[in-house]
Amino acid sequence: VETVLAGRDKKVVISRNRPTILIGERINPAGRKRLAQAMRTGDLGPVGQEACAQADEGAEVIDVNVGLTDIDETALLPQAVRVVSQATGLPVCIDTSNAEALEAALAQCDGKPLVNSVTGEQHSLHRILPIVQQHGAAVIALVTDEQGIPQDADTRLRIAEKILVQAAKHGIPEEDVIIDPLVLSAGADQRASVTTLETIHLLAKELGVNVTLGGSNVSFGLPDRDSVNGVFLALAIAAGVTCPIVNPRSARRAALIADLLLGRDEFAMRYIAFSRRSRREPDLMSRR
Amino acid sequence: VETVLAGRDKKVVISRNRPTILIGERINPAGRKRLAQAMRTGDLGPVGQEACAQADEGAEVIDVNVGLTDIDETALLPQAVRVVSQATGLPVCIDTSNAEALEAALAQCDGKPLVNSVTGEQHSLHRILPIVQQHGAAVIALVTDEQGIPQDADTRLRIAEKILVQAAKHGIPEEDVIIDPLVLSAGADQRASVTTLETIHLLAKELGVNVTLGGSNVSFGLPDRDSVNGVFLALAIAAGVTCPIVNPRSARRAALIADLLLGRDEFAMRYIAFSRRSRREPDLMSRR
C-alpha cells in the first residue's frame, strides 16, 4: 500500500517500493531541558529551528510533541504545529495523548498530517479514530491493548488487525493506518528485538501495511547506542519498516545504506550525495 | 546443522543458534605490499603477527592465502598454515586455487580445517572434493559454475544443491559444506546485494546449511566502505549467514550487535564485554 501525507508545500509517499521516509523525533521535551524550558515560556523559536535542522538532515515528516505536565497542550500544540509547518513545509506528525489538543492541532494543519497515535484499547479507538477520519488524517497504531504490550508477535499482529477493522468501520482506509510494532530494550530482554523484528515481518507479509518504529528504545542501557540503533534500524527496514521515527542526524546513514542494499537507491545516487555532503559540511553534521 | 572445525587447541562450532563466527580475511597478499613482500622473501613473521592480531580482534578461524604469481604456493602455503596454527591454536581456512598446494597444506594441518573453496564447475568438484574427503576437512562452496555467477537467487540455490549432492557422493556430509552465495558491488548494480540476500534466505530456509560471505566486495567503489560493509553484514547475518569472511577489526561491532538483536547474546554480555574492551584498549583496537 501507499500512504500519502501532505504538508503545506510537500507531499510524501510512504511505500515499500520507495526509499525509507524518516520521521524526525527531536521536537519532544522529554529529556531536553532547554527545549522544555522554551516550551514552558511559550517560546517556539527553538521548535522552528529544530524542525529546520531535522529537515536539513533528511527528515521528511516532523513529529511534534509538547507533552509536559505543566504545559497547556491544547493551547501550545496547535501553535507548535503551525510553526513547524510554516518553517519546513513538511507534513507533521501530531504526537499527543490528549484528544482535545489533537483536535485543536488538526484544525491548524495544512495538507494531510499523521496522528501519533491510537492503540488497540477501546477507549482510544472510540476517541481517536473519529477525529482522524473527520480531519482526513492518517494515524499511527500501537499494537498494545487493555492487557498491555503482548510478549509475542502473533498477538501483536492480531491487535494490528483489530485496529485496521475498527479504522475501516470509522471510514479510515487501510493505507491511512501505519502500524508501530513496538520495541523494548534489547539489553533487558534478549527476546525483545527478536519479537519486534518478527512482528514487522508478519505485518509486511500478512497485511502489507506501512510500518513505523520508534528507533531508539532498543538500545536503552547499552553502550554505543547509536551503533545499536543503526544496526537495528537496518534490520527493521529489511524486515518491512517504511517510516521509522528517529533522530535523522544519527539514523540517516544506516537508513540510506539499508535502502541501497535493498535495491531502493538506483546507482547509489542518494547514498553518494549524502556522503559528499557530510564530507563538505562537517560542522552541520556534528552540530547540536 | 552444525559445522565443527578444530585447530591445534580450539574447536569452533558454526550454527544458526550460536553467535556468528568470524573468519579473519587479512592474511592475503592482494593489495598489501608489505605482507606480499615478506611472503616473497619467505618471511612468515608478519603472517604470524597478523594471525594473532585477528584472533585478538575476535576472529575464530583464520583464512590463509599466499597466492601471488611469483610465489611457489606449494612450498609456502603449508609453512604459512603451520605458522598460523601454532601462533593462534585456531582452525585455519586454507584459501587457494592450487590443488597441489592445498594437499600439501592439509598434510600440515592440526585438527579439522576449512578448505576455501570448491565451485559448481565439474573440474573443481572432481579435483577438490576427494582431497577434502581424504583429509576429513570441511569446504566452502561458491555458487558459480561453467556459466559464471548466476544473476538470480534460484539458480544460485540450484548450484548449491548440486554441490551438496556431489559432496555426499564423495562421502562429505552436508554439515561439512558451507555455502558462499557470492556478492558483487552494490554500487555497480543495485540488484547485486538484493540477489545475495535472497540467496542467503533461500539457503537458510530450503537447505538449512551454514553460509559464509566475503563481506567487503559489496561496498566496492562506494564512500565510507566500513559503514556499508557493517550494515550489509548485519542484514546478511539476519538472513542466515553464520560464518562471514571479514576483517574482524572493522566487522566485529556490527556482528556482535546483529547477534544481540537476533537473540544470540544473553544479557548482552558479549557486546558489553567488547565495548568495555574497546574503551580500555584504544591502541589495540586502532593499530594496524
Side-chain angles (χ1 to χ4, degrees), chain A residues 186-188 190-191 193-194 197 201 218 221-225 227-235 238 253-254 257-268 271-272 275-276 279, chain B residues 186-188 190-191 193-194 197 201 218 221-225 227-235 238 253-254 257-268 271-272 275-276 279:
Chain A
Q190 70 160 154
R191 291 293 305 168
S193 50
V194 179
L197 292 171
H201 270 295
V218 72
L222 290 170
D224 190 3
R225 293 189 63 175
S227 293
V228 177
N229 290 341
V231 170
F232 186 63
L233 180 61
L235 297 181
R253 183 179 301 276
I257 295 175
D259 282 345
L260 167 65
L261 296 172
L262 295 169
R264 298 173 192 163
D265 185 4
E266 201 172 6
F267 306 120
Y271 175 61
I272 290 170
S275 296
R276 285 205 177 121
R279 273 202 306 274
Chain B
Q190 70 160 155
R191 292 292 306 166
S193 50
V194 179
L197 292 171
H201 270 296
V218 73
L222 291 171
D224 191 4
R225 292 189 63 174
S227 292
V228 177
N229 291 342
V231 170
F232 186 62
L233 180 61
L235 296 182
R253 182 180 301 274
I257 294 174
D259 282 345
L260 167 65
L261 295 172
L262 295 169
R264 298 173 192 163
D265 184 5
E266 202 172 5
F267 306 119
Y271 175 62
I272 290 170
S275 297
R276 285 205 177 120
R279 272 202 306 274

Side-chain angles (χ1 to χ4, degrees), chain B:
Chain B
V1 304
E2 289 197 343
T3 306
V4 180
L5 303 177
R8 203 189 49 177
D9 306 323
K10 291 170 194 153
K11 206 180 75 168
V12 166
V13 181
I14 304 168
S15 153
R16 216 168 304 287
N17 303 318
R18 294 167 178 261
T20 303
I21 300 291
L22 302 183
I23 304 177
E25 72 179 8
R26 291 212 307 267
I27 299 180
N28 190 322
R32 301 193 60 189
K33 270 194 180 171
R34 285 209 316 212
L35 187 62
Q37 193 48 38
M39 285 177 180
R40 273 193 199 95
T41 62
D43 172 13
L44 291 175
V47 164
Q49 287 157 23
E50 195 64 275
C52 291
Q54 291 183 94
D56 272 353
E57 290 157 3
E60 295 184 71
V61 179
I62 308 292
D63 189 88
V64 183
N65 183 319
V66 300
L68 280 173
T69 49
D70 52 354
I71 276 182
D72 177 3
E73 267 195 87
T74 306
L76 192 66
L77 189 58
Q79 295 175 40
V81 159
R82 196 167 49 234
V83 164
V84 170
S85 177
Q86 286 174 355
T88 66
L90 295 176
V92 294
C93 176
I94 306 173
D95 187 356
T96 178
S97 53
N98 178 330
E100 205 184 328
L102 173 63
E103 286 199 276
L106 281 166
Q108 288 296 325
C109 263
D110 305 301
K112 179 178 171 184
L114 184 57
V115 170
N116 186 6
S117 54
V118 70
T119 74
E121 296 164 286
Q122 287 306 319
H123 74 85
S124 174
L125 294 165
H126 290 156
R127 186 81 178 93
I128 303 297
L129 292 179
I131 301 175
V132 170
Q133 190 276 331
Q134 190 189 327
H135 291 85
V139 64
I140 292 175
L142 311 184
V143 291
T144 180
D145 63 10
E146 285 79 2
Q147 276 74 53
I149 301 177
Q151 296 281 346
D152 65 297
D154 283 331
T155 309
R156 294 190 195 185
L157 177 69
R158 279 203 292 278
I159 295 175
E161 289 170 332
K162 180 180 86 170
I163 297 173
L164 286 170
V165 168
Q166 289 298 317
K169 280 191 189 164
H170 284 86
I172 302 168
E174 183 184 68
E175 63 265 26
D176 284 342
V177 182
I178 296 176
I179 308 292
D180 184 337
L182 300 175
V183 62
L184 304 172
S185 159
D189 170 9
Q190 70 160 155
R191 292 292 306 166
S193 50
V194 179
T195 302
T196 300
L197 292 171
E198 283 174 4
T199 304
I200 298 166
H201 270 296
L202 285 175
L203 290 168
K205 191 175 141 212
E206 306 286 330
L207 304 180
V209 290
N210 278 307
V211 181
T212 184
L213 189 68
S216 44
N217 282 346
V218 73
S219 63
F220 186 77
L222 291 171
D224 191 4
R225 292 189 63 174
D226 278 352
S227 292
V228 177
N229 291 342
V231 170
F232 186 62
L233 180 61
L235 296 182
I237 290 170
V241 162
T242 50
C243 51
I245 304 179
V246 294
N247 181 342
R249 185 184 303 121
S250 49
R252 195 179 190 196
R253 182 180 301 274
L256 283 168
I257 294 174
D259 282 345
L260 167 65
L261 295 172
L262 295 169
R264 298 173 192 163
D265 184 5
E266 202 172 5
F267 306 119
M269 285 190 294
R270 298 175 79 242
Y271 175 62
I272 290 170
F274 164 79
S275 297
R276 285 205 177 120
R277 191 188 141 183
S278 5
R279 272 202 306 274
R280 216 168 47 230
E281 304 182 24
D283 291 336
L284 178 72
M285 301 311 288
S286 61
R287 83 177 171 207
R288 172 126 199 180

Side-chain angles (χ1 to χ4, degrees), chain A:
Chain A
V1 305
E2 290 198 343
T3 306
V4 180
L5 304 178
R8 204 189 50 176
D9 307 321
K10 290 171 195 153
K11 206 181 74 170
V12 166
V13 181
I14 304 168
S15 154
R16 216 167 305 286
N17 303 316
R18 293 167 178 261
T20 303
I21 300 292
L22 303 183
I23 304 176
E25 73 180 5
R26 291 211 307 266
I27 300 180
N28 191 323
R32 302 193 59 190
K33 271 194 179 169
R34 286 209 315 213
L35 187 62
Q37 193 48 38
M39 286 177 179
R40 274 194 198 93
T41 63
D43 172 12
L44 293 174
V47 165
Q49 287 157 22
E50 194 63 276
C52 291
Q54 292 183 94
D56 272 354
E57 290 157 4
E60 295 184 70
V61 179
I62 307 293
D63 190 86
V64 182
N65 183 319
V66 300
L68 282 172
T69 48
D70 53 355
I71 275 182
D72 177 3
E73 267 195 87
T74 306
L76 192 67
L77 189 58
Q79 294 175 40
V81 159
R82 198 168 48 233
V83 164
V84 170
S85 176
Q86 287 174 354
T88 64
L90 295 176
V92 294
C93 176
I94 306 172
D95 186 356
T96 178
S97 54
N98 177 331
E100 205 183 328
L102 173 62
E103 286 199 275
L106 281 166
Q108 289 297 326
C109 263
D110 304 301
K112 180 177 172 185
L114 184 57
V115 170
N116 186 6
S117 56
V118 71
T119 74
E121 295 164 286
Q122 288 305 319
H123 74 86
S124 175
L125 294 165
H126 290 156
R127 186 80 178 98
I128 303 297
L129 292 179
I131 301 175
V132 170
Q133 190 277 329
Q134 190 189 327
H135 291 86
V139 64
I140 292 175
L142 312 185
V143 292
T144 179
D145 64 10
E146 286 80 1
Q147 275 73 54
I149 301 178
Q151 297 280 349
D152 65 297
D154 283 331
T155 310
R156 294 191 194 186
L157 177 68
R158 278 202 293 276
I159 295 176
E161 288 170 332
K162 180 179 86 169
I163 298 173
L164 286 170
V165 167
Q166 289 299 317
K169 280 190 188 164
H170 283 85
I172 302 167
E174 182 184 68
E175 63 265 27
D176 284 342
V177 182
I178 297 175
I179 309 292
D180 184 335
L182 300 176
V183 63
L184 303 172
S185 160
D189 171 9
Q190 70 160 154
R191 291 293 305 168
S193 50
V194 179
T195 302
T196 300
L197 292 171
E198 283 174 2
T199 305
I200 299 166
H201 270 295
L202 285 175
L203 290 167
K205 191 175 141 211
E206 305 286 328
L207 305 179
V209 290
N210 278 307
V211 181
T212 185
L213 190 68
S216 43
N217 283 344
V218 72
S219 62
F220 187 76
L222 290 170
D224 190 3
R225 293 189 63 175
D226 278 352
S227 293
V228 177
N229 290 341
V231 170
F232 186 63
L233 180 61
L235 297 181
I237 290 172
V241 162
T242 50
C243 51
I245 303 179
V246 294
N247 181 343
R249 186 183 302 121
S250 49
R252 194 178 191 196
R253 183 179 301 276
L256 283 169
I257 295 175
D259 282 345
L260 167 65
L261 296 172
L262 295 169
R264 298 173 192 163
D265 185 4
E266 201 172 6
F267 306 120
M269 284 191 293
R270 298 175 79 243
Y271 175 61
I272 290 170
F274 164 79
S275 296
R276 285 205 177 121
R277 193 188 139 183
S278 8
R279 273 202 306 274
R280 217 167 46 229
E281 305 181 23
D283 291 337
L284 178 73
M285 301 312 290
S286 61
R287 83 178 172 207
R288 171 121 201 183

